[in-house]
Amino acid sequence: MKKFFSLLLLSTLLVSGCNANNSSSKKKSVSQRTSSAKNEVINYTFNYETDAQPDIGQTPDEAYTKNGVYHVKYVNDDDYYQITFTDKKSKKTVPLCTKPNCSHKTIECDANLPSDDSELSNGESYVGNGYIQYYKGSLYAPFKYGDYVYLEKMSADGSTRSRYMKLCRFLQVKSIQDGAENNSTYYPTITIHRGYVYFTNDEIHGTSATLYRMKLGSNKLEVIKAMKKGHPQIIRIHPYGDSVYFIAGEMSEDGYKYTGNLYRYNTNSNKVSVAGQSVIRNYTVMNGYIYYEDKKGDGTIYRKKAEDGKSERIVSVSYNQEDQTLLMWQYDGDLILSIEDDTSGNIIKQIRIHDSKKIETVNKKKYSPYTKL
């Protein structure tokens, strides 16, 4: 059975970014501004070669490139994950496997990744829960070996895979609830941006939460933010330009209420500052603005300038919070709000917003991320 996070962690999985395949250093220069309040330069230049792609949803299971899209899907019957590639021109989808005469239906297939319930004899298991990222010609995904999580590096055709770098200890927290032993497993949230891998290492309902970064290929661990109070959680890592945004806060004792703020880590000054008070739900960053959903989760979308600007309400979207999730991402300079059915995973409505005005609503999927790569 597919492994899920706790309720909050599932609803807050980062949509990790991926980079353009075989592209030249294609840049979209937006702006560079200075915040007078903190005297820090915030850069909004986007480079497909080096940057994590902006948010596109709740599960980071797609890696967009110039030639096509990588996708990780869970095969429930056999309890493994499979990487496929959809060619942009032919629209053909194939498993990422180079073995001749392979059925693609066993764990021996290069495209298939063992879940932590079906680990290989050497103890290897995939712990990304769907996460995969394309970066400078290679694919990256987290794997567990023994007690640790490693970042694995795969060739773009799936023919080779190697243990690239150790990230952190694989956390499993034991507790007693109603007289019974309860085992909670934590899967780190990971993204790669401009030569660094960023990841969290929290305890589910534990007493610590930390956001780290490591230079790709190194073993030097840097702490960006550490929390050791109550039941802290760091969620929704979202790099953009020379900033890395994330939400940090605390879960209530009963596990139903989360309070926190949106933070910005400036990669130039190595300073962390509050980017949005009580911003704890869906958000994205584009063109120097932070777009975010109200903390009540009622479909009201606000925006504010990334450097401490005032918030303004731009649109309200009606959706069933129990069955659907509001996703936000950029398309051709506009903001796209997508309503996703949590059961099927299908997009059932999209709203296109230009500047701060709703200009189109479609009751089916019309727009896809990164179609112009």
Side-chain angles (χ1 to χ4, degrees), residues 24-272:
S24 60
S25 296
K26 181 178 179 181
K27 295 183 179 180
K28 291 188 176 181
S29 181
V30 180
S31 64
Q32 180 169 304
R33 300 175 182 172
T34 301
S35 169
S36 58
K38 297 185 179 300
N39 195 29
E40 60 177 344
V41 174
I42 302 175
N43 195 308
Y44 300 106
T45 301
F46 186 76
N47 187 336
Y48 281 111
E49 278 291 302
T50 60
D51 290 5
Q53 289 178 354
D55 283 357
I56 56 174
Q58 300 237 55
T59 305
D61 56 4
E62 291 181 330
Y64 289 81
T65 74
K66 184 177 180 180
N67 296 330
V69 182
Y70 293 95
H71 180 69
V72 177
K73 65 178 181 178
Y74 182 72
V75 184
N76 186 62
D77 292 341
D78 298 301
D79 195 24
Y80 60 77
Y81 293 83
Q82 185 177 76
I83 307 175
T84 60
F85 181 75
T86 302
D87 184 78
K88 189 173 182 178
K89 291 183 178 179
S90 68
K91 309 298 182 184
K92 185 178 180 180
T93 300
V94 296
L96 195 68
C97 177
T98 59
K99 289 182 178 179
N101 304 316
C102 182
S103 67
H104 311 306
K105 294 182 179 180
T106 67
I107 201 61
E108 283 72 31
C109 172
D110 288 341
N112 296 338
L113 312 177
S115 74
D116 56 333
D117 271 347
S118 59
E119 65 182 32
L120 300 181
S121 57
N122 64 356
E124 172 191 0
S125 62
Y126 168 70
V127 291
N129 201 50
Y131 165 77
I132 191 171
Q133 182 160 349
Y134 183 90
Y135 186 82
K136 289 190 174 182
S138 298
L139 293 167
Y140 293 86
F143 279 76
K144 172 180 173 288
Y145 295 93
D147 294 331
Y148 291 90
V149 176
Y150 289 78
L151 190 65
E152 282 209 351
K153 186 175 183 178
M154 296 175 256
S155 59
D157 64 359
S159 60
T160 62
R161 198 162 79 212
S162 62
R163 204 179 305 177
Y164 184 55
M165 56 189 294
K166 182 192 288 187
L167 297 182
C168 57
R169 183 177 290 276
F170 185 72
L171 290 177
Q172 291 180 302
V173 180
K174 294 183 179 181
S175 60
I176 302 296
Q177 293 182 351
D178 299 326
E181 185 178 273
N182 178 56
N183 295 322
S184 298
T185 300
Y186 178 78
Y187 301 87
T189 297
I190 299 173
T191 190
I192 298 171
H193 184 70
R194 298 191 178 185
Y196 286 85
V197 53
Y198 295 84
F199 61 96
T200 60
N201 196 26
D202 302 359
E203 298 177 10
I204 294 179
H205 301 302
T207 58
S208 69
T210 309
L211 174 61
Y212 297 99
R213 80 167 184 170
M214 296 178 72
K215 193 169 184 177
L216 284 175
S218 77
N219 58 8
K220 182 181 179 181
L221 195 64
E222 299 178 49
V223 176
I224 294 176
K225 187 174 181 63
M227 304 174 68
K228 295 183 178 181
K229 179 183 177 181
H231 302 290
Q233 288 182 348
I234 298 176
I235 56 181
R236 292 188 186 280
I237 313 171
H238 177 61
Y240 193 90
D242 55 13
S243 297
V244 177
Y245 295 86
F246 60 94
I247 293 172
E250 184 178 347
M251 178 63 74
S252 62
E253 187 71 30
D254 58 13
Y256 287 99
K257 185 178 181 181
Y258 183 79
T259 56
N261 298 313
L262 176 67
Y263 292 86
R264 179 178 60 248
Y265 169 67
N266 187 308
T267 59
N268 297 319
S269 65
N270 292 321
K271 293 182 179 179
V272 175

Side-chain angles (χ1 to χ4, degrees), residues 309-326:
K310 293 182 179 181
S311 296
E312 61 175 326
R313 178 182 176 278
I314 60 171
V315 71
S316 184
V317 180
S318 176
Y319 73 104
N320 187 333
Q321 297 177 54
E322 293 182 357
D323 298 328
Q324 295 138 17
T325 304
L326 188 65

Side-chain angles (χ1 to χ4, degrees), residues 353-371:
I353 295 174
H354 179 74
D355 195 17
S356 61
K357 296 181 180 180
K358 185 191 305 183
I359 61 173
E360 182 184 24
T361 300
V362 291
N363 292 320
K364 58 181 179 180
K365 183 178 179 179
K366 179 179 180 180
Y367 299 104
S368 296
Y370 317 113
T371 54

